Amino acid sequence: MLNFTVGPVMSGEDVLEVAGHSTPYFRTPEFSDIMFENEKMMLEYLNAPENSRCVFLTTSGTGAMESCVMNILNKNDKVIVINGGSFGHRFVELCELHKLDYTEIKCEFGHQLKAEQLQGLENYTALLVNMHETSSGVLYNMPLISEFCKKNHILLIVDAISAFIAEEIDMEELGAAAVLTGSQKALAVQPGIAVIALAPEALDRIAANEEQCMYLSLKLALDNGRRGQTPFTPAVTILLQINARLHAIEEAGGIAEERRKIAGIAAEFREGIRDLPFENISESCSNAVTALHPLTTGAKEIVRILKDEYQIWVCPNGGELADKVFRVGHIGHITKEDNQKLLDALHDMQNRGIL
């Protein structure tokens, strides 16, 4: 099966080699050295400010989102949440669950955030944004958001779960207090690890806040990270895969080269479907995914036929959009040849009268 979803994605041979071995014991100096290296490389790839830290939680991306809400924010905050789809709504749900004072900025599905939507919110203390709203394919205007937060001294927390590697992310330039991602996206390893990079501003807040949890505690994660360990048993093999993947990126020319490859795959796919009856629903596409509204056939049927008849996975959408939108991911171990197989399959479906 070829996998064109947005996670889990296909992995390269370097990662698969690690996955094929038994999980080693991890309370060792050797494993600590690997974790120190993982932290160092992640902070470098994100251009995190001096004295930043990086933690690795054994959880999904949603666990990292909730951990940030619980550990960095508190009841005295006034929070802005950008909500343009399923994952923006998840931040809304987390703020409601943890009884934070928040205001939701709703963006129409597939549409970009506008500057006027931020007007009147200058006295807030924090802003939560999914840099790339994976459900719609929208890449938000991060320079706009960054400038607004800097000007008004607003803490910026960025969910870059599907944006990391696929898009340029510079924590120093953005002024981001926290950036989070997941192992199963462009890192292209197995799901189960969420990564959170924390600038000094976030670290100070974590230290000052009262503890809200145990398993998702950033205090505990940071304390144990000083010795290259985690407070509880982590997904050891996935952490080893991350190390292999980070080294592979470095050896292949660095993160900018990896991003160029992803952007190239995305551009070739979008050019290749220009003659097909699809509408790209995103005003500002991320390199990570293309969200399409089929004009002649239901999205669910397209997803099914690609899976059953062509052995290709693409991403369905849920809820009321399940039969209106499907998504094609461009991250993971996808080659130009793989991309062409997907394009050939879609054109064959058109020739058969399915599209």
Side-chain angles (χ1 to χ4, degrees):
M1 293 288 290
L2 287 178
N3 185 353
F4 286 87
T5 68
V6 286
V9 300
M10 294 190 290
S11 300
E13 290 299 323
D14 50 331
V15 170
L16 295 176
E17 196 278 331
V18 175
H21 293 273
S22 294
T23 301
Y25 183 61
F26 65 100
R27 298 298 191 195
T28 64
E30 291 79 10
F31 184 76
S32 291
D33 288 343
I34 287 171
M35 290 299 292
F36 287 136
E37 193 170 55
N38 284 349
E39 179 175 17
K40 178 177 179 290
M41 294 179 79
M42 285 295 301
L43 293 174
E44 287 175 354
Y45 282 168
L46 288 165
N47 194 35
E50 188 177 356
N51 297 320
S52 293
R53 293 285 309 282
C54 186
V55 299
F56 300 83
L57 306 178
T58 297
T59 181
S60 68
T62 300
M65 294 167 71
E66 184 162 30
S67 182
C68 286
V69 167
M70 286 191 294
N71 290 275
I72 301 174
L73 305 180
N74 61 55
K75 63 183 180 180
N76 297 317
D77 280 306
K78 292 183 64 178
V79 185
I80 302 165
V81 182
I82 311 298
N83 179 7
S86 301
F87 296 96
H89 182 64
R90 193 161 298 176
F91 264 139
V92 171
E93 292 177 307
L94 287 168
C95 287
E96 288 179 349
L97 176 64
H98 295 287
K99 297 179 172 53
L100 294 179
D101 181 3
Y102 76 94
T103 291
E104 175 184 7
I105 297 181
K106 278 205 166 186
C107 297
E108 188 178 345
F109 192 76
H111 287 252
Q112 181 61 262
L113 175 74
K114 303 296 190 297
E116 54 266 29
Q117 292 176 280
L118 295 170
Q119 291 177 3
L121 302 175
E122 292 80 6
N123 64 335
Y124 279 64
T125 61
L127 186 148
L128 303 175
V129 63
N130 315 92
M131 178 174 175
H132 166 223
E133 175 50 68
T134 319
S135 66
S136 69
V138 168
L139 178 67
Y140 285 120
N141 185 342
M142 292 307 296
L144 168 68
I145 293 170
S146 172
E147 182 181 354
F148 173 79
C149 289
K150 287 178 181 177
K151 181 179 178 181
N152 297 290
H153 307 289
I154 293 172
L155 188 88
L156 175 59
I157 297 176
V158 180
D159 162 9
I161 291 172
S162 58
F164 176 61
I165 299 178
E167 307 294 341
E168 184 174 1
I169 305 173
D170 186 321
M171 284 185 70
E172 185 83 59
E173 185 176 320
L174 285 174
V179 172
L180 55 112
T181 190
S183 57
Q184 78 277 21
K185 302 293 186 177
L187 269 172
V189 306
Q190 293 173 333
I193 291 291
V195 187
I196 309 176
L198 299 159
E201 186 176 11
L203 295 172
D204 290 344
R205 277 175 156 260
I206 293 163
N209 284 342
E210 291 183 5
E211 192 68 276
Q212 299 295 318
C213 57
M214 179 180 288
Y215 190 70
L216 295 178
S217 166
L218 292 183
K219 276 192 177 76
L220 289 177
L222 289 162
D223 285 346
N224 283 268
R226 292 188 179 91
R227 61 189 181 99
Q229 291 288 333
T230 57
F232 313 106
T233 302
V236 176
T237 299
I238 302 172
L239 290 165
L240 297 175
Q241 291 173 20
I242 288 173
N243 188 259
R245 171 69 168 142
L246 293 174
H247 277 288
I249 290 171
E250 193 69 22
E251 290 164 9
I255 194 169
E257 176 61 19
E258 185 71 13
R259 185 164 53 248
R260 186 193 66 78
K261 291 178 185 176
I262 293 170
I265 290 288
E268 287 178 8
F269 175 78
R270 290 165 189 163
E271 179 62 29
I273 60 168
R274 287 170 65 91
D275 60 337
L276 295 177
F278 297 142
E279 176 189 8
N280 188 332
I281 65 168
S282 174
E283 278 188 346
S284 52
C285 293
S286 164
N287 293 324
V289 65
T290 302
L292 298 170
H293 169 53
L295 302 177
T296 58
T297 306
K300 288 194 288 188
E301 185 67 358
I302 293 171
V303 172
R304 184 193 68 78
I305 290 173
L306 283 171
K307 174 177 68 73
D308 292 344
E309 300 184 26
Y310 296 92
Q311 289 71 57
I312 296 173
W313 280 312
V314 294
C315 247
N317 264 39
E320 60 186 31
L321 295 172
D323 209 33
K324 297 179 181 178
V325 176
F326 73 97
R327 294 165 292 154
V328 175
H330 312 299
I331 53 180
H333 191 65
I334 297 172
T335 65
K336 288 189 175 185
E337 291 75 21
D338 295 333
N339 219 23
Q340 191 58 51
K341 287 178 183 177
L342 174 57
L343 291 170
D344 289 346
L346 291 170
H347 282 90
D348 188 54
M349 288 170 67
Q350 183 185 46
N351 294 335
R352 293 168 58 194
I354 297 170
L355 295 181

